[in-house]
PDB file of all heavy atoms in Angstrom:
ATOM      1  N   VAL A   1       0.817  -1.208  -0.066  1.00 98.00           N
ATOM      2  CA  VAL A   1      -0.035  -0.037   0.007  1.00 98.00           C
ATOM      3  C   VAL A   1       0.875   1.273   0.007  1.00 98.00           C
ATOM      4  O   VAL A   1       0.669   2.231  -0.846  1.00 98.00           O
ATOM      5  CB  VAL A   1      -0.990   0.049   1.195  1.00 98.00           C
ATOM      6  CG1 VAL A   1      -1.659   1.351   1.355  1.00 98.00           C
ATOM      7  CG2 VAL A   1      -1.942  -1.079   1.194  1.00 98.00           C
ATOM      8  N   ALA A   2       1.825   1.298   0.905  1.00 97.00           N
ATOM      9  CA  ALA A   2       2.660   2.463   1.019  1.00 97.00           C
ATOM     10  C   ALA A   2       4.039   2.022   1.577  1.00 97.00           C
ATOM     11  O   ALA A   2       4.142   1.096   2.329  1.00 97.00           O
ATOM     12  CB  ALA A   2       2.048   3.503   1.986  1.00 97.00           C
ATOM     13  N   ALA A   3       5.119   2.765   1.303  1.00 96.00           N
ATOM     14  CA  ALA A   3       6.424   2.374   1.744  1.00 96.00           C
ATOM     15  C   ALA A   3       7.009   3.802   2.056  1.00 96.00           C
ATOM     16  O   ALA A   3       6.869   4.884   1.422  1.00 96.00           O
ATOM     17  CB  ALA A   3       7.283   1.694   0.736  1.00 96.00           C
ATOM     18  N   ILE A   4       7.924   3.833   3.101  1.00 95.00           N
ATOM     19  CA  ILE A   4       8.765   4.996   3.476  1.00 95.00           C
ATOM     20  C   ILE A   4      10.188   4.428   3.654  1.00 95.00           C
ATOM     21  O   ILE A   4      10.409   3.468   4.501  1.00 95.00           O
ATOM     22  CB  ILE A   4       8.228   5.713   4.626  1.00 95.00           C
ATOM     23  CG1 ILE A   4       8.961   7.008   5.047  1.00 95.00           C
ATOM     24  CG2 ILE A   4       8.200   4.910   5.849  1.00 95.00           C
ATOM     25  CD1 ILE A   4       8.225   7.992   5.919  1.00 95.00           C
ATOM     26  N   PHE A   5      11.106   5.137   2.919  1.00 94.00           N
ATOM     27  CA  PHE A   5      12.505   4.594   2.921  1.00 94.00           C
ATOM     28  C   PHE A   5      13.256   5.328   3.949  1.00 94.00           C
ATOM     29  O   PHE A   5      12.835   6.453   4.479  1.00 94.00           O
ATOM     30  CB  PHE A   5      13.110   4.851   1.614  1.00 94.00           C
ATOM     31  CG  PHE A   5      12.499   3.833   0.466  1.00 94.00           C
ATOM     32  CD1 PHE A   5      11.332   4.200  -0.121  1.00 94.00           C
ATOM     33  CD2 PHE A   5      13.116   2.690   0.210  1.00 94.00           C
ATOM     34  CE1 PHE A   5      10.795   3.433  -1.056  1.00 94.00           C
ATOM     35  CE2 PHE A   5      12.546   1.825  -0.698  1.00 94.00           C
ATOM     36  CZ  PHE A   5      11.360   2.260  -1.426  1.00 94.00           C
ATOM     37  N   SER A   6      14.406   4.821   4.275  1.00 90.00           N
ATOM     38  CA  SER A   6      15.268   5.457   5.370  1.00 90.00           C
ATOM     39  C   SER A   6      15.504   6.847   5.224  1.00 90.00           C
ATOM     40  O   SER A   6      15.672   7.742   6.032  1.00 90.00           O
ATOM     41  CB  SER A   6      16.529   4.654   5.652  1.00 90.00           C
ATOM     42  OG  SER A   6      17.246   4.641   4.358  1.00 90.00           O
ATOM     43  N   GLY A   7      15.723   7.354   3.820  1.00 90.00           N
ATOM     44  CA  GLY A   7      15.951   8.648   3.460  1.00 90.00           C
ATOM     45  C   GLY A   7      14.752   9.558   3.436  1.00 90.00           C
ATOM     46  O   GLY A   7      14.930  10.760   3.406  1.00 90.00           O
ATOM     47  N   GLY A   8      13.648   8.929   3.660  1.00 90.00           N
ATOM     48  CA  GLY A   8      12.418   9.773   3.688  1.00 90.00           C
ATOM     49  C   GLY A   8      11.463   9.690   2.505  1.00 90.00           C
ATOM     50  O   GLY A   8      10.281  10.141   2.556  1.00 90.00           O
ATOM     51  N   THR A   9      12.029   9.033   1.418  1.00 94.00           N
ATOM     52  CA  THR A   9      11.150   8.960   0.210  1.00 94.00           C
ATOM     53  C   THR A   9       9.916   8.036   0.534  1.00 94.00           C
ATOM     54  O   THR A   9      10.071   7.170   1.233  1.00 94.00           O
ATOM     55  CB  THR A   9      11.966   8.353  -0.869  1.00 94.00           C
ATOM     56  OG1 THR A   9      13.091   9.249  -1.105  1.00 94.00           O
ATOM     57  CG2 THR A   9      11.105   8.236  -2.205  1.00 94.00           C
ATOM     58  N   THR A  10       8.855   8.368  -0.086  1.00 96.00           N
ATOM     59  CA  THR A  10       7.588   7.588   0.045  1.00 96.00           C
ATOM     60  C   THR A  10       7.037   7.161  -1.260  1.00 96.00           C
ATOM     61  O   THR A  10       7.303   7.782  -2.310  1.00 96.00           O
ATOM     62  CB  THR A  10       6.468   8.330   0.837  1.00 96.00           C
ATOM     63  OG1 THR A  10       6.237   9.573   0.128  1.00 96.00           O
ATOM     64  CG2 THR A  10       6.839   8.604   2.239  1.00 96.00           C
ATOM     65  N   ASN A  11       6.492   5.843  -1.316  1.00 96.00           N
ATOM     66  CA  ASN A  11       5.835   5.381  -2.520  1.00 96.00           C
ATOM     67  C   ASN A  11       4.446   4.887  -2.122  1.00 96.00           C
ATOM     68  O   ASN A  11       4.301   4.412  -0.944  1.00 96.00           O
ATOM     69  CB  ASN A  11       6.656   4.180  -3.115  1.00 96.00           C
ATOM     70  CG  ASN A  11       7.843   4.590  -3.787  1.00 96.00           C
ATOM     71  OD1 ASN A  11       7.996   5.777  -4.195  1.00 96.00           O
ATOM     72  ND2 ASN A  11       8.779   3.723  -3.970  1.00 96.00           N
ATOM     73  N   TYR A  12       3.486   4.998  -3.095  1.00 97.00           N
ATOM     74  CA  TYR A  12       2.192   4.495  -2.798  1.00 97.00           C
ATOM     75  C   TYR A  12       1.525   3.825  -3.849  1.00 97.00           C
ATOM     76  O   TYR A  12       1.959   3.941  -5.136  1.00 97.00           O
ATOM     77  CB  TYR A  12       1.277   5.866  -2.546  1.00 97.00           C
ATOM     78  CG  TYR A  12       1.797   6.657  -1.351  1.00 97.00           C
ATOM     79  CD1 TYR A  12       2.475   7.762  -1.658  1.00 97.00           C
ATOM     80  CD2 TYR A  12       1.272   6.452  -0.121  1.00 97.00           C
ATOM     81  CE1 TYR A  12       2.883   8.510  -0.505  1.00 97.00           C
ATOM     82  CE2 TYR A  12       1.728   7.101   0.895  1.00 97.00           C
ATOM     83  CZ  TYR A  12       2.461   8.287   0.780  1.00 97.00           C
ATOM     84  OH  TYR A  12       2.837   8.991   1.802  1.00 97.00           O
ATOM     85  N   ALA A  13       0.785   2.846  -3.569  1.00 97.00           N
ATOM     86  CA  ALA A  13      -0.020   2.204  -4.664  1.00 97.00           C
ATOM     87  C   ALA A  13      -0.870   3.120  -5.246  1.00 97.00           C
ATOM     88  O   ALA A  13      -1.483   4.070  -4.703  1.00 97.00           O
ATOM     89  CB  ALA A  13      -0.850   0.944  -3.975  1.00 97.00           C
ATOM     90  N   SER A  14      -1.272   2.961  -6.545  1.00 97.00           N
ATOM     91  CA  SER A  14      -2.013   3.913  -7.301  1.00 97.00           C
ATOM     92  C   SER A  14      -3.583   4.131  -6.730  1.00 97.00           C
ATOM     93  O   SER A  14      -4.089   5.045  -6.718  1.00 97.00           O
ATOM     94  CB  SER A  14      -2.138   3.587  -8.725  1.00 97.00           C
ATOM     95  OG  SER A  14      -2.637   2.277  -8.951  1.00 97.00           O
ATOM     96  N   SER A  15      -3.975   2.962  -6.003  1.00 96.00           N
ATOM     97  CA  SER A  15      -5.299   2.981  -5.564  1.00 96.00           C
ATOM     98  C   SER A  15      -5.372   3.819  -4.311  1.00 96.00           C
ATOM     99  O   SER A  15      -6.585   4.115  -3.880  1.00 96.00           O
ATOM    100  CB  SER A  15      -5.751   1.453  -5.313  1.00 96.00           C
ATOM    101  OG  SER A  15      -4.823   0.939  -4.357  1.00 96.00           O
ATOM    102  N   VAL A  16      -4.342   4.195  -3.705  1.00 97.00           N
ATOM    103  CA  VAL A  16      -4.343   4.944  -2.522  1.00 97.00           C
ATOM    104  C   VAL A  16      -3.618   6.331  -2.480  1.00 97.00           C
ATOM    105  O   VAL A  16      -3.810   7.114  -1.637  1.00 97.00           O
ATOM    106  CB  VAL A  16      -3.829   4.181  -1.274  1.00 97.00           C
ATOM    107  CG1 VAL A  16      -4.499   2.811  -1.105  1.00 97.00           C
ATOM    108  CG2 VAL A  16      -2.291   4.013  -1.279  1.00 97.00           C
ATOM    109  N   LYS A  17      -3.116   6.526  -3.603  1.00 95.00           N
ATOM    110  CA  LYS A  17      -2.420   7.825  -3.858  1.00 95.00           C
ATOM    111  C   LYS A  17      -3.320   8.945  -3.639  1.00 95.00           C
ATOM    112  O   LYS A  17      -4.467   8.902  -4.111  1.00 95.00           O
ATOM    113  CB  LYS A  17      -1.717   7.827  -5.196  1.00 95.00           C
ATOM    114  CG  LYS A  17      -0.490   8.880  -5.229  1.00 95.00           C
ATOM    115  CD  LYS A  17       0.188   8.642  -6.580  1.00 95.00           C
ATOM    116  CE  LYS A  17       0.864   7.396  -6.592  1.00 95.00           C
ATOM    117  NZ  LYS A  17       1.789   7.158  -7.815  1.00 95.00           N
ATOM    118  N   CYS A  18      -2.860   9.953  -3.016  1.00 95.00           N
ATOM    119  CA  CYS A  18      -3.572  11.179  -2.666  1.00 95.00           C
ATOM    120  C   CYS A  18      -4.695  10.970  -1.528  1.00 95.00           C
ATOM    121  O   CYS A  18      -5.367  11.899  -1.016  1.00 95.00           O
ATOM    122  CB  CYS A  18      -4.343  11.764  -3.829  1.00 95.00           C
ATOM    123  SG  CYS A  18      -3.308  12.281  -5.198  1.00 95.00           S
ATOM    124  N   ARG A  19      -4.808   9.724  -1.087  1.00 98.00           N
ATOM    125  CA  ARG A  19      -5.726   9.542   0.141  1.00 98.00           C
ATOM    126  C   ARG A  19      -4.875   8.977   1.393  1.00 98.00           C
ATOM    127  O   ARG A  19      -5.378   9.217   2.551  1.00 98.00           O
ATOM    128  CB  ARG A  19      -6.744   8.338  -0.267  1.00 98.00           C
ATOM    129  CG  ARG A  19      -7.690   8.797  -1.342  1.00 98.00           C
ATOM    130  CD  ARG A  19      -8.905   7.850  -1.573  1.00 98.00           C
ATOM    131  NE  ARG A  19      -8.395   6.524  -1.810  1.00 98.00           N
ATOM    132  CZ  ARG A  19      -8.653   5.356  -1.033  1.00 98.00           C
ATOM    133  NH1 ARG A  19      -9.258   5.497   0.011  1.00 98.00           N
ATOM    134  NH2 ARG A  19      -8.141   4.170  -1.469  1.00 98.00           N
ATOM    135  N   PHE A  20      -3.872   8.350   1.134  1.00 98.00           N
ATOM    136  CA  PHE A  20      -3.114   7.806   2.193  1.00 98.00           C
ATOM    137  C   PHE A  20      -1.765   8.424   2.335  1.00 98.00           C
ATOM    138  O   PHE A  20      -1.213   8.800   1.263  1.00 98.00           O
ATOM    139  CB  PHE A  20      -2.869   6.268   2.064  1.00 98.00           C
ATOM    140  CG  PHE A  20      -4.008   5.264   2.133  1.00 98.00           C
ATOM    141  CD1 PHE A  20      -5.296   5.795   2.249  1.00 98.00           C
ATOM    142  CD2 PHE A  20      -3.792   4.036   2.240  1.00 98.00           C
ATOM    143  CE1 PHE A  20      -6.511   4.940   2.351  1.00 98.00           C
ATOM    144  CE2 PHE A  20      -4.824   3.061   2.439  1.00 98.00           C
ATOM    145  CZ  PHE A  20      -6.204   3.513   2.470  1.00 98.00           C
ATOM    146  N   THR A  21      -1.331   8.558   3.468  1.00 97.00           N
ATOM    147  CA  THR A  21      -0.048   9.230   3.648  1.00 97.00           C
ATOM    148  C   THR A  21       0.847   8.561   4.816  1.00 97.00           C
ATOM    149  O   THR A  21       0.345   8.220   5.878  1.00 97.00           O
ATOM    150  CB  THR A  21      -0.189  10.731   4.188  1.00 97.00           C
ATOM    151  OG1 THR A  21      -0.835  11.417   3.185  1.00 97.00           O
ATOM    152  CG2 THR A  21       1.373  11.424   4.388  1.00 97.00           C
ATOM    153  N   ALA A  22       2.153   8.126   4.365  1.00 97.00           N
ATOM    154  CA  ALA A  22       3.025   7.436   5.304  1.00 97.00           C
ATOM    155  C   ALA A  22       3.832   8.456   5.955  1.00 97.00           C
ATOM    156  O   ALA A  22       4.348   9.357   5.177  1.00 97.00           O
ATOM    157  CB  ALA A  22       3.874   6.447   4.673  1.00 97.00           C
ATOM    158  N   SER A  23       4.153   8.434   7.208  1.00 95.00           N
ATOM    159  CA  SER A  23       5.007   9.257   7.879  1.00 95.00           C
ATOM    160  C   SER A  23       5.661   8.573   9.052  1.00 95.00           C
ATOM    161  O   SER A  23       5.456   7.433   9.293  1.00 95.00           O
ATOM    162  CB  SER A  23       4.157  10.524   8.481  1.00 95.00           C
ATOM    163  OG  SER A  23       3.313  10.108   9.440  1.00 95.00           O
ATOM    164  N   ARG A  24       6.642   9.394   9.682  1.00 94.00           N
ATOM    165  CA  ARG A  24       7.392   8.617  10.733  1.00 94.00           C
ATOM    166  C   ARG A  24       7.701   9.582  11.855  1.00 94.00           C
ATOM    167  O   ARG A  24       7.858  10.881  11.645  1.00 94.00           O
ATOM    168  CB  ARG A  24       8.669   8.005  10.192  1.00 94.00           C
ATOM    169  CG  ARG A  24       9.655   8.990   9.526  1.00 94.00           C
ATOM    170  CD  ARG A  24      10.733   8.286   8.833  1.00 94.00           C
ATOM    171  NE  ARG A  24      11.624   9.233   8.230  1.00 94.00           N
ATOM    172  CZ  ARG A  24      12.637   8.907   7.496  1.00 94.00           C
ATOM    173  NH1 ARG A  24      12.938   7.721   7.395  1.00 94.00           N
ATOM    174  NH2 ARG A  24      13.447   9.856   6.969  1.00 94.00           N
ATOM    175  N   ASP A  25       7.891   9.091  13.055  1.00 94.00           N
ATOM    176  CA  ASP A  25       8.398   9.813  14.184  1.00 94.00           C
ATOM    177  C   ASP A  25       9.590   9.021  14.743  1.00 94.00           C
ATOM    178  O   ASP A  25       9.441   7.992  15.456  1.00 94.00           O
ATOM    179  CB  ASP A  25       7.225   9.888  15.267  1.00 94.00           C
ATOM    180  CG  ASP A  25       7.618  10.815  16.432  1.00 94.00           C
ATOM    181  OD1 ASP A  25       8.869  11.011  16.711  1.00 94.00           O
ATOM    182  OD2 ASP A  25       6.702  11.217  17.142  1.00 94.00           O
ATOM    183  N   ALA A  26      10.795   9.564  14.426  1.00 92.00           N
ATOM    184  CA  ALA A  26      11.944   8.879  14.824  1.00 92.00           C
ATOM    185  C   ALA A  26      12.165   8.857  16.390  1.00 92.00           C
ATOM    186  O   ALA A  26      12.714   7.786  16.737  1.00 92.00           O
ATOM    187  CB  ALA A  26      13.227   9.479  14.310  1.00 92.00           C
ATOM    188  N   ALA A  27      11.795   9.722  16.969  1.00 94.00           N
ATOM    189  CA  ALA A  27      11.866   9.779  18.466  1.00 94.00           C
ATOM    190  C   ALA A  27      11.128   8.704  19.113  1.00 94.00           C
ATOM    191  O   ALA A  27      11.420   8.167  20.240  1.00 94.00           O
ATOM    192  CB  ALA A  27      11.450  11.125  19.075  1.00 94.00           C
ATOM    193  N   LYS A  28       9.913   8.226  18.417  1.00 95.00           N
ATOM    194  CA  LYS A  28       9.151   7.202  18.980  1.00 95.00           C
ATOM    195  C   LYS A  28       9.441   5.781  18.213  1.00 95.00           C
ATOM    196  O   LYS A  28       8.642   4.784  18.498  1.00 95.00           O
ATOM    197  CB  LYS A  28       7.756   7.572  18.885  1.00 95.00           C
ATOM    198  CG  LYS A  28       7.211   8.731  19.742  1.00 95.00           C
ATOM    199  CD  LYS A  28       5.909   9.021  19.545  1.00 95.00           C
ATOM    200  CE  LYS A  28       5.365  10.201  20.443  1.00 95.00           C
ATOM    201  NZ  LYS A  28       4.019  10.533  20.253  1.00 95.00           N
ATOM    202  N   ASN A  29      10.285   5.773  17.311  1.00 95.00           N
ATOM    203  CA  ASN A  29      10.522   4.716  16.416  1.00 95.00           C
ATOM    204  C   ASN A  29       9.174   4.091  15.795  1.00 95.00           C
ATOM    205  O   ASN A  29       8.990   2.864  15.889  1.00 95.00           O
ATOM    206  CB  ASN A  29      11.320   3.494  17.151  1.00 95.00           C
ATOM    207  CG  ASN A  29      12.694   3.822  17.383  1.00 95.00           C
ATOM    208  OD1 ASN A  29      13.351   4.593  16.684  1.00 95.00           O
ATOM    209  ND2 ASN A  29      13.229   3.417  18.557  1.00 95.00           N
ATOM    210  N   THR A  30       8.429   5.042  15.411  1.00 96.00           N
ATOM    211  CA  THR A  30       7.147   4.708  14.893  1.00 96.00           C
ATOM    212  C   THR A  30       6.852   5.298  13.484  1.00 96.00           C
ATOM    213  O   THR A  30       7.203   6.435  13.290  1.00 96.00           O
ATOM    214  CB  THR A  30       6.009   5.132  15.972  1.00 96.00           C
ATOM    215  OG1 THR A  30       6.173   4.542  17.274  1.00 96.00           O
ATOM    216  CG2 THR A  30       4.590   4.818  15.412  1.00 96.00           C
ATOM    217  N   VAL A  31       6.227   4.435  12.668  1.00 96.00           N
ATOM    218  CA  VAL A  31       5.756   4.953  11.490  1.00 96.00           C
ATOM    219  C   VAL A  31       4.182   4.909  11.379  1.00 96.00           C
ATOM    220  O   VAL A  31       3.595   4.153  12.243  1.00 96.00           O
ATOM    221  CB  VAL A  31       6.248   4.206  10.187  1.00 96.00           C
ATOM    222  CG1 VAL A  31       7.779   4.268  10.112  1.00 96.00           C
ATOM    223  CG2 VAL A  31       5.887   2.601  10.312  1.00 96.00           C
ATOM    224  N   TYR A  32       3.575   5.872  10.605  1.00 97.00           N
ATOM    225  CA  TYR A  32       2.085   5.928  10.578  1.00 97.00           C
ATOM    226  C   TYR A  32       1.674   5.805   9.224  1.00 97.00           C
ATOM    227  O   TYR A  32       2.281   6.342   8.271  1.00 97.00           O
ATOM    228  CB  TYR A  32       1.772   7.353  11.180  1.00 97.00           C
ATOM    229  CG  TYR A  32       2.126   7.562  12.517  1.00 97.00           C
ATOM    230  CD1 TYR A  32       3.417   8.207  12.748  1.00 97.00           C
ATOM    231  CD2 TYR A  32       1.507   7.056  13.607  1.00 97.00           C
ATOM    232  CE1 TYR A  32       3.912   8.532  14.173  1.00 97.00           C
ATOM    233  CE2 TYR A  32       1.976   7.394  14.990  1.00 97.00           C
ATOM    234  CZ  TYR A  32       3.039   8.079  15.161  1.00 97.00           C
ATOM    235  OH  TYR A  32       3.543   8.307  16.477  1.00 97.00           O
ATOM    236  N   LEU A  33       0.503   5.419   9.095  1.00 97.00           N
ATOM    237  CA  LEU A  33      -0.300   5.323   7.801  1.00 97.00           C
ATOM    238  C   LEU A  33      -1.542   6.099   8.123  1.00 97.00           C
ATOM    239  O   LEU A  33      -2.481   5.606   8.783  1.00 97.00           O
ATOM    240  CB  LEU A  33      -0.525   3.951   7.294  1.00 97.00           C
ATOM    241  CG  LEU A  33      -1.280   3.908   6.025  1.00 97.00           C
ATOM    242  CD1 LEU A  33      -0.317   4.469   4.794  1.00 97.00           C
ATOM    243  CD2 LEU A  33      -1.693   2.504   5.523  1.00 97.00           C
ATOM    244  N   GLN A  34      -1.519   7.272   7.603  1.00 98.00           N
ATOM    245  CA  GLN A  34      -2.883   8.075   7.687  1.00 98.00           C
ATOM    246  C   GLN A  34      -3.731   7.806   6.501  1.00 98.00           C
ATOM    247  O   GLN A  34      -3.286   7.997   5.315  1.00 98.00           O
ATOM    248  CB  GLN A  34      -2.444   9.585   7.804  1.00 98.00           C
ATOM    249  CG  GLN A  34      -3.741  10.549   7.822  1.00 98.00           C
ATOM    250  CD  GLN A  34      -4.491  10.335   9.058  1.00 98.00           C
ATOM    251  OE1 GLN A  34      -3.956  10.336  10.113  1.00 98.00           O
ATOM    252  NE2 GLN A  34      -5.867  10.317   8.970  1.00 98.00           N
TER     253      GLN A  34
END
């Protein structure tokens, strides 16, 4: 569905692009899918 690389680049499946957003909080070692 979505990927976030160590450098911060993100990729999305075409079916979710513009609706889903991947992000991360390094202090919490957590990634999010909005």
